[in-house]
Amino acid sequence: MKTCQRLFSGKIQEVCTLGFLEKLLIKIGIIAFILAATVFLFRKIGIPFGKLPGDIHISRDGFEFWFPITTCLVLSGLISGIIWLLRFIGNLFN
């Protein structure tokens, strides 16, 4: 069932369908759950996720600010490496 369409470069493309939105929300929920479980397991193992050297933490009276820049860089590198590896393996079998 089409619920909305958008005209894009002369062609009508399906952009919003209820099934698409449902699948998108389920995928976002699964990704959020996996991330939360990963952070929980890292902390249980003893990896100071979010408290690496280089992460900024400012604490004052009634104010606390966290900016985990090193953690973000490490995660970005890991995710990029995993995606590259998956694409590389996928290209081997094509």
Side-chain angles (χ1 to χ4, degrees):
M1 172 190 298
K2 297 178 187 177
T3 56
C4 65
Q5 296 177 345
R6 183 174 294 162
L7 186 63
F8 183 70
S9 65
K11 298 178 183 176
I12 295 178
Q13 295 180 336
E14 289 183 45
V15 175
C16 307
T17 60
L18 190 56
F20 171 77
L21 186 60
E22 290 171 352
K23 290 177 185 178
L24 179 66
L25 289 174
I26 289 172
K27 289 177 185 178
I28 290 172
I30 290 171
I31 290 171
F33 177 78
I34 290 171
L35 286 174
T38 304
V39 170
F40 176 76
L41 290 175
F42 279 161
R43 289 197 178 170
K44 284 292 185 182
I45 293 171
I47 298 173
F49 203 64
K51 297 181 181 178
L52 295 174
D55 289 344
I56 298 171
H57 176 229
I58 300 171
S59 182
R60 304 237 197 284
D61 293 334
F63 176 77
E64 197 167 346
F65 176 75
W66 286 87
F67 186 66
I69 191 163
T70 306
T71 302
C72 291
L73 290 172
V74 169
L75 282 177
S76 176
L78 285 173
I79 291 170
S80 296
I82 290 169
I83 290 172
W84 178 84
L85 186 64
L86 291 174
R87 285 185 179 174
F88 181 75
I89 291 171
N91 287 336
L92 287 177
F93 295 108
N94 284 334

